[in-house]
Amino acid sequence: MPPGDDDARYEEILRRIAAKKQEEALAPIRAMLAAVLDGLNAAGFLVKAGRKAAGRAVFGPETFQGVLTGDSGAGWLWLAVAIWHKPQGYGQVETLGLLGIWALQKADGAGVLLGEKSLPYKAAVFNPESYHHHIRRRFDLFYDGDASPPVDDGIRYTTAYTAARRLTIRAEIQAALDEWAARQ
């Protein structure tokens, strides 16, 4: 066995140990953000909003997670529940809308964001069989972008989360989602 193989294996073991430690450190934050989304009934609200959106083909909901890097270089964890939608019709694939509720890690707890963004079609060709099979499960095969929180003009509602305001936040999210569905 060449000597470089042992070194590469050792480096891989160290990398895996570091990744596991990082995952363990993020687990309590991830659990807190998941509890926020669960307490707000985020998935249920998005399913209802999707049903109310007449003239739209709606897929999901699905959960997503990631890390936003701040100006200082520190990362902030986010969790989201999102649906993706497009106008109904065979050739309506130019853009896909992503509507979601995000729970964001903040220095003093958690924040909640309701927003949407448009994702442009990126595939070189349109194969309807493949498209209609995969779009029900995931959107990133055909569209540019990811499920990270939207910026500025895509934000429909945002607030700091506290358990004491949970029911108020739910009502505000429901009102914002009803408004979104009415515009569709």
Side-chain angles (χ1 to χ4, degrees), residues 9 26 126 151 166 169-170 174 176:
R9 185 168 187 271
L26 291 177
F126 176 67
V151 292
R166 182 179 69 87
I169 294 170
R170 283 177 62 136
Q174 182 64 57

Side-chain angles (χ1 to χ4, degrees), residues 32 76 105-111 160-162:
M32 184 253 313
W76 299 96
Q105 176 188 5
K106 301 282 185 183
D108 57 347
Y161 179 83
T162 61

